[in-house]
Amino acid sequence: MKQAQTRRLSQAFLSLTFIMLLVFAVTSQAASSSPTKTLTIGALFSLTGPASPTIKQGRDGAMAAAEWINEKGGLTIKGERYKIEVIAEDDKSTPDGAVAATNKLVHKDKVKFIVGPIVPQCAMAMAPITEEAKVLRCNVNGIGHPAEMNPKLRYTFATYKNINHFSPTYDFLVEQFPKVKKIAIVAIDDPGGQAAVPVSQREAKKRGLEVVFTDRYPFGTEDYYPILTKALDRKPDAIDMAVGVTPWFAAMIKQARQLGFKGPMFASVPTGDIYLLRNLIGKDFANDIFFVEPDLKSPKMPPIIKEIKAISRKRPGPICSLLIWQVGRRCG
């Protein structure tokens, strides 16, 4: 995998993340005394089920973030000091699982703030519960489907929308791979994929690229040979994988390479874990691949991220600290 490409694509996202984290660090260090109260924040992620292999790291990141913020002195809310306690629940990668977990957090644990989930259909399923209970929810990884974020969701906000990454991703594609003229789009058949495909089609056409194939696969698919065979019959120069999680992307890339496809493969979203992705693909197939993903092992990482990594040695999702920070800031 071309790490330089990965770093360039993630530069804008990381810059915003680092600035916001730095502002919080300064604010925390300026506050006096130790926390005397506890702010409980719910964290809802896919700890089991098809989406869990990398999404469960969101829980690890939330825990690391809480520990890091508490070490910095906690939060100041309306003049009072608080430490953060995270209650993590499993949405099981399903809407029903999200509903059950949300009901526990809202009605049993009495949380007023929730971070997550990542799977769009889980976010949509839990929204009526949090909205009715007036629980502030941070939609941490929205694709941009209207049902994920709309004016009727008064207690839901988003850290960012992956839809915003599609345009720079396609800019990068045409800059780095000028011979690419035809695109195949292979997406998951869920609200995320439904929202992503039209955007990919629009961005491709804006740059004079021809979309020769578009299709979707069921949530949790492991065998991509049938859909890839149909896609490759149309002779694409590149494959846009739209949205997904690390094992799905890795399987699709590996299977496409095994079918003889040598062109670039990419997605306008993070994989969840670029290091796991590379290991799953194998060095023979991990070439001409790019995602919107930070390289947390880069020596160019700012000191503040290195601090978080030191806390989260056993938790590979430290970037999620930004999510906890945003929830905390909205409490004041």
Side-chain angles (χ1 to χ4, degrees):
M1 183 181 299
K2 295 182 178 180
Q3 292 186 356
Q5 294 177 358
T6 304
R7 287 196 294 271
R8 288 184 61 185
L9 277 174
S10 62
Q11 183 177 7
F13 169 71
L14 281 175
S15 297
L16 176 61
T17 302
F18 298 152
I19 291 170
M20 297 177 79
L21 283 169
L22 183 59
V23 169
F24 174 74
V26 172
T27 308
S28 281
Q29 290 170 344
S32 60
S33 75
S34 299
T36 58
K37 294 187 176 182
T38 299
L39 174 65
T40 303
I41 299 177
L44 191 63
F45 293 102
S46 300
L47 308 183
T48 59
S52 66
T54 48
I55 287 181
K56 63 186 178 184
Q57 293 179 6
R59 182 268 315 272
D60 301 330
M63 296 295 188
E67 186 176 346
W68 179 75
I69 292 172
N70 288 340
E71 285 188 3
K72 292 291 183 182
L75 298 173
T76 300
I77 304 172
K78 295 183 178 179
E80 295 186 290
R81 302 291 293 163
Y82 287 79
K83 66 177 181 180
I84 295 174
E85 177 186 6
V86 176
I87 300 178
E89 294 294 336
D90 181 11
D91 63 32
K92 301 180 180 179
S93 305
T94 67
D96 287 345
V99 168
T102 304
N103 276 323
K104 176 184 179 298
L105 288 171
V106 172
H107 300 299
K108 181 180 178 181
D109 299 318
K110 305 297 183 182
V111 303
K112 293 299 181 182
F113 311 97
I114 294 178
V115 175
I118 289 178
V119 176
Q121 51 266 44
C122 293
M124 295 175 190
M126 69 183 292
I129 302 171
T130 54
E131 291 294 313
E132 182 178 357
K134 299 182 179 181
V135 169
L136 190 64
R137 178 170 64 90
C138 173
N139 189 20
V140 300
N141 195 46
I143 295 298
H145 194 288
E148 287 185 278
M149 290 295 298
N150 61 71
K152 293 183 179 180
L153 300 178
R154 304 302 298 273
Y155 295 90
T156 300
F157 68 100
T159 53
Y160 69 103
K161 293 194 300 183
N162 278 313
I163 290 297
N164 297 333
H165 301 157
F166 283 58
S167 181
T169 299
Y170 269 88
D171 284 341
F172 183 85
L173 173 68
V174 298
E175 174 189 337
Q176 296 296 317
F177 301 94
K179 293 183 179 180
V180 168
K181 303 300 178 185
K182 297 185 292 184
I183 303 290
I185 303 173
V186 181
I188 186 173
D189 192 10
D190 76 348
Q194 293 161 13
V197 168
V199 181
S200 288
Q201 291 173 324
R202 182 174 68 246
E203 296 299 334
K205 292 176 181 178
K206 281 169 59 177
R207 291 158 181 80
L209 304 176
E210 180 185 3
V211 178
V212 296
F213 178 84
T214 301
D215 203 355
R216 299 187 182 96
Y217 56 85
F219 188 91
T221 293
E222 296 180 0
D223 180 2
Y224 299 94
Y225 290 110
I227 193 171
L228 288 170
T229 299
K230 291 190 293 181
L232 297 182
D233 283 344
R234 303 303 298 272
K235 307 297 182 184
D237 300 314
I239 296 177
D240 180 347
M241 297 177 286
V243 296
V245 296
T246 303
W248 307 345
F249 286 138
M252 193 183 308
I253 292 166
K254 191 170 184 176
Q255 291 172 28
R257 298 298 190 223
Q258 290 170 341
L259 289 172
F261 183 69
K262 300 183 183 300
M265 300 182 69
F266 65 96
S268 301
V269 300
T271 67
D273 188 334
I274 58 173
Y275 315 113
L276 174 61
L277 178 79
R278 185 168 51 198
N279 291 337
L280 290 175
I281 296 170
K283 63 180 181 180
D284 293 337
F285 296 142
N287 58 284
D288 291 336
I289 301 161
F290 59 96
F291 297 81
V292 180
E293 189 87 63
D295 182 358
L296 298 180
K297 294 181 180 180
S298 169
K300 296 182 180 180
M301 277 287 152
I304 194 167
I305 297 301
K306 294 177 182 178
E307 277 188 43
I308 301 170
K309 286 178 65 180
I311 291 176
S312 59
R313 290 186 185 96
K314 296 182 180 180
R315 302 174 181 134
I319 284 295
C320 286
S321 56
L322 174 63
L323 313 179
I324 291 288
W325 175 80
Q326 288 187 322
V327 172
R329 293 289 290 180
R330 291 298 180 105
C331 299

